[in-house]
Amino acid sequence: MEHSTHCIFISCVFIDHIFMAKNDLKILGAWPSPYVMRPRIALNIKSLAYDFLEEQFGTKSDLLLKSNPIYKKIPVLIHDGKPICESLIIVQYIDENWTNSGPSILPSHPYDRAIARFWATYIDDKWFPSLRGIAAAQGEDAKKAATELVVEGLVLLEDVFKNSSKGQKFFGGDTIGYLDIALGCFLGWLRVTEKMNNVTLLNESKTPGLYKWAEDFCADSAVKDVMPETDKLAEAAKVIMSKMRAQASS
């Protein structure tokens, strides 16, 4: 009986080992990075376990340089030893590779997918750089102009939310989707910008849909454990900016 039980145990371990090897997942990243948050949320949506390998600011590990020799940036998803780079490309890879795990992240219709990708590009190329512009602004007039630019972008995205959500909680409908991840990953830094610059960006009167969406997004089980606390992120921002200034002056 002992021998039989032992054999069953070994067989279960062996099967489990094969299964885990098949889905051996690692994320190279840093917790303050909004781009790193994107694949982490996608993996959580798909209920996929992964190892988080923390990269330190100002240094690049050998594994990172080997995994992303072109851009040398985080995040990198390593799946069964094969690296996939760029945050939104990783999110698409996760959605396409694990179609039977969890809800779909990208819209099912090709047109809706194209629209979601368009606005994700707008967020990365236009809106988030405008958010970073507030911290870089010199003087009250420049800060006011930078703040207005960010709010204008949020008003634009409010209309996108209304059209995409069709009255439901998220851009993706009743569950978090591609555009939710693309914008939602920046909510921590939006709050830090508000706190450190004494401004209001996400306004309930101007953008009521996005205001409620932000609450729902941060409370979602796929997000809440990877969304940094505002105070902790603000402290990290001070350290990062101090190191950047030191590097610039050296």
Side-chain angles (χ1 to χ4, degrees):
M1 181 67 179
E2 270 188 22
H3 178 72
S4 175
T5 304
H6 186 62
C7 288
I8 292 171
F9 174 77
I10 291 174
S11 297
C12 290
V13 170
F14 179 71
I15 291 169
D16 186 60
H17 175 74
I18 292 174
F19 178 78
M20 290 304 291
K22 186 179 179 183
N23 292 303
D24 182 23
L25 294 165
K26 298 180 179 68
I27 290 282
L28 303 184
W31 67 264
S33 169
Y35 301 105
V36 172
M37 193 184 305
R38 287 171 169 175
R40 298 184 75 186
I41 292 171
L43 289 169
N44 288 343
I45 289 171
K46 296 293 187 176
S47 299
L48 297 169
Y50 63 94
D51 293 325
F52 184 57
L53 306 181
E54 187 87 23
E55 293 282 326
Q56 299 302 314
F57 179 79
T59 63
K60 299 181 189 293
S61 70
D62 290 341
L63 182 57
L64 174 60
L65 295 174
K66 179 182 177 182
S67 302
N68 190 359
I70 305 302
Y71 293 110
K72 304 178 177 63
K73 291 181 179 180
I74 54 175
V76 177
L77 172 70
I78 302 177
H79 178 208
D80 291 343
K82 298 177 181 178
I84 302 97
C85 307
E86 296 295 302
S87 63
L88 290 177
I89 292 174
I90 297 171
V91 170
Q92 293 176 59
Y93 175 82
I94 291 167
D95 193 41
E96 292 168 358
N97 199 61
W98 286 280
T99 55
N100 295 324
S101 298
S104 295
I105 295 173
L106 278 100
S108 58
H109 194 280
Y111 177 78
D112 293 334
R113 283 201 299 274
I115 294 299
R117 289 182 176 122
F118 172 86
W119 286 111
T121 300
Y122 164 80
I123 290 164
D124 280 358
D125 291 354
K126 295 286 188 180
W127 183 79
F128 185 56
S130 73
L131 180 67
R132 291 188 300 184
I134 295 176
Q138 300 293 320
E140 287 303 314
D141 289 343
K143 182 183 289 188
K144 182 180 178 182
T147 300
E148 289 174 352
L149 190 61
V150 172
V151 174
E152 286 174 10
L154 289 171
V155 170
L156 181 61
L157 289 168
E158 172 84 2
D159 289 336
V160 177
F161 174 73
K162 289 177 182 176
N163 293 330
S164 298
S165 66
K166 298 176 175 63
Q168 299 187 72
K169 288 172 63 174
F170 301 109
F171 284 91
D174 59 353
T175 59
I176 287 176
Y178 183 75
L179 201 46
D180 296 285
I181 294 172
L183 179 60
C185 70
F186 294 120
L187 286 173
W189 284 100
L190 182 144
R191 290 168 175 168
V192 166
T193 303
E194 288 180 325
K195 178 184 177 70
M196 296 180 70
N197 295 277
N198 195 29
V199 296
T200 299
L201 300 171
L202 199 55
N203 191 305
E204 189 173 8
S205 61
K206 288 187 176 180
T207 52
L210 281 184
Y211 189 89
K212 180 63 169 62
W213 163 82
E215 292 181 345
D216 291 334
F217 181 83
C218 292
D220 192 89
S221 59
V223 176
K224 60 184 180 181
D225 290 337
V226 297
M227 178 66 70
E229 296 177 1
T230 302
D231 290 343
K232 183 180 178 183
L233 191 57
E235 289 303 313
K238 292 175 184 176
V239 173
I240 292 170
M241 286 189 289
S242 176
K243 288 183 178 180
M244 289 175 68
R245 283 193 294 266
Q247 290 176 356
S249 62
S250 61

